[in-house]
Amino acid sequence: ANWQDAIKYKMADFTGAGLPAGSKIQESVALIFADLAQDVNEALSAAMEQHPNAQVIFTGHSLGGAYATMFALDAGIEGSKVYTYGAPRIGNRAFAGFVEQAFGANYFRVVHGLDAVAHLPAMNMDGIFDKAKALNVIKAKLNEKIAALKSKLSWKILDKVKALNVDKSTEMVADNFIHAGAEIWLHDGTVKVCPKVNGE
């Protein structure tokens, strides 16, 4: 995903995959999920027929982590687990709450502390989407990467970061993008667990 497009997330009402009324997810995720759901369900059903006692684990990286969550919800297989790595936030509080109810301790969201994708869209402390904060998160994460990878990073990226202007007319959207459960942060050899309430 283009990091400049990451702040253009749009929410869409979505009650597929067994989600309750009031659930909203990122619009493009909803569209692609709807397009792929039948094929994924057919393949999963065929696999479950061949291996009826198998432990089912859904996993994905980045946007694949978002889809892993959606397909796991849609399948509704009791005892299944979900592991996402570097996945963006894709749903509102109703969505996150439903994910937590569905999987409980079987839902694992693993992110790297410097991965901007996993921390977008940026939220303020009240769980409200903040466009200016999103841009600042992108700039901060990229500046940290620049400092760590000076010799390997393209100067074109550095120029884009320096040229990025924060729109002062901050777009604040209530009840927007929040991750389900706790995030497991990995950074510099340390592990930190962050609850969803702080919007980090």
Side-chain angles (χ1 to χ4, degrees):
N2 182 322
W3 54 267
Q4 289 176 317
D5 292 336
I7 60 166
K8 297 178 182 176
Y9 280 59
K10 292 181 183 177
M11 284 292 220
D13 290 326
F14 191 76
T15 54
L19 293 168
S23 295
K24 294 184 179 193
I25 64 170
Q26 206 272 337
E27 187 175 59
S28 66
V29 170
L31 293 172
I32 294 171
F33 167 76
D35 190 47
L36 297 175
Q38 183 175 346
D39 291 339
V40 171
N41 283 331
E42 288 174 3
L44 185 57
S45 293
M48 291 299 292
E49 281 181 27
Q50 291 180 353
H51 309 281
N53 298 319
Q55 166 73 58
V56 179
I57 299 173
F58 295 84
T59 188
H61 172 258
S62 195
L63 197 51
Y67 292 116
T69 301
M70 295 299 296
F71 292 126
L73 286 171
D74 195 42
I77 299 171
E78 189 174 340
S80 61
K81 295 182 179 182
V82 180
Y83 292 84
T84 69
Y85 301 90
R89 299 179 182 119
I90 60 163
N92 67 352
R93 287 183 190 276
F95 172 81
F98 186 73
V99 169
E100 290 170 1
Q101 281 183 336
F103 301 106
N106 287 332
Y107 186 82
F108 305 89
R109 176 181 161 83
V110 181
V111 300
H112 188 278
L114 294 180
D115 184 356
V117 171
H119 305 295
L120 290 174
M123 309 287 281
N124 70 14
M125 293 299 283
D126 297 317
I128 298 174
F129 175 59
D130 184 332
K131 186 167 71 172
K133 184 175 178 183
L135 285 167
N136 287 329
V137 167
I138 293 168
K139 289 174 74 172
K141 298 295 182 188
L142 288 175
N143 280 328
E144 288 178 28
K145 287 184 179 184
I146 289 168
L149 304 170
K150 282 181 186 176
S151 63
K152 297 179 182 178
L153 192 65
S154 164
W155 285 106
K156 290 181 181 180
I157 293 174
L158 178 58
D159 292 339
K160 286 182 181 180
V161 172
K162 287 180 178 177
L164 190 60
N165 293 319
V166 176
D167 181 357
K168 299 301 180 188
S169 61
T170 305
E171 179 184 346
M172 303 291 277
V173 183
D175 192 33
N176 210 357
F177 305 106
I178 193 157
H179 63 82
E183 285 185 329
I184 302 165
W185 279 36
L186 306 175
H187 180 63
D188 289 339
T190 62
V191 177
K192 177 181 172 186
V193 178
C194 302
K196 73 176 185 179
V197 294
N198 66 8
E200 288 300 322

